[in-house]
Amino acid sequence: MISESKEKELIKRMEALGVREADIAEKFIRAQGHGGQNVNKTSTCVYLKHLPTGIEVKMQRERSQSLNRFLARRLLVDKIEQTVMGEKSRIRQQIEKVRRQKRKRSKRAKEKVLQNKKNISMKKASRGRVDETNE
């Protein structure tokens, strides 16, 4: 169900951060909520704990255990990366990008945008219909 490229990418990220499979404690728990008989009979919820850092992750998004294992590992690696790399982590960079996008524009930038808008509206207004009654 998981593509090989995604799995290889996860393994590379784990190696880059120094996360080994031996450092991860893994448990399977019965999931809760929707899913009916599948949820009641199988342990699809995955619990991971990275022993050196103490970071814990629980994943029960999907109905299949194998997919939840992959998603849990990916989430664990994201959390470890965030604590290890701090400001340089991918998640932190995305948060900063959104913050910059939402930041209020300067007065000069606003004037530039409004001037551009005015130019476009003037251009559109000059595209009026040609009157064909003067033939």
Side-chain angles (χ1 to χ4, degrees):
M1 288 173 57
I2 303 148
S3 67
E4 286 185 39
S5 60
K6 285 185 179 181
E7 211 162 319
K8 286 179 183 177
E9 179 191 337
L10 180 64
I11 291 168
K12 276 185 192 175
R13 285 181 63 201
M14 287 174 73
E15 287 173 358
L17 290 169
V19 178
R20 299 178 306 144
E21 283 292 328
D23 295 340
I24 299 173
E26 184 175 41
K27 291 181 190 174
F28 301 103
I29 309 163
R30 289 239 172 101
Q32 296 174 344
H34 302 292
Q37 208 171 20
N38 184 62
V39 167
N40 299 331
K41 289 167 78 175
T42 60
S43 299
T44 55
C45 182
V46 178
Y47 169 83
L48 298 178
K49 182 175 183 178
H50 187 242
L51 300 173
T53 58
I55 295 174
E56 299 174 348
V57 169
K58 192 174 175 184
M59 179 63 65
Q60 66 175 29
R61 188 184 314 163
E62 301 296 328
R63 288 182 66 183
S64 82
Q65 189 183 70
S66 60
L67 190 54
N68 281 333
R69 285 183 77 202
F70 172 77
L71 294 171
R73 276 180 172 63
R74 196 165 66 180
L75 183 62
L76 182 71
V77 170
D78 286 344
K79 285 189 174 192
I80 292 171
E81 183 182 55
Q82 194 172 2
T83 56
V84 170
M85 300 182 87
E87 292 293 323
K88 295 178 183 176
S89 75
R90 218 182 319 165
I91 297 166
R92 181 72 65 188
Q93 287 174 351
Q94 286 174 344
I95 291 169
E96 289 300 319
K97 182 181 178 184
V98 169
R99 186 176 288 145
R100 282 193 306 271
Q101 288 172 343
K102 288 184 175 182
R103 190 170 49 205
K104 207 172 174 184
R105 285 196 173 117
S106 68
K107 206 171 197 179
R108 187 173 180 177
K110 275 188 207 173
E111 288 173 3
K112 194 174 178 182
V113 168
L114 288 174
Q115 184 61 43
N116 190 23
K117 222 173 177 180
K118 187 176 178 183
N119 290 343
I120 290 171
S121 70
M122 288 173 57
K123 187 193 309 180
K124 285 186 175 184
S126 68
R127 291 183 191 158
R129 261 208 166 126
V130 177
D131 193 17
E132 295 180 13
T133 56
N134 296 337
E135 287 183 8

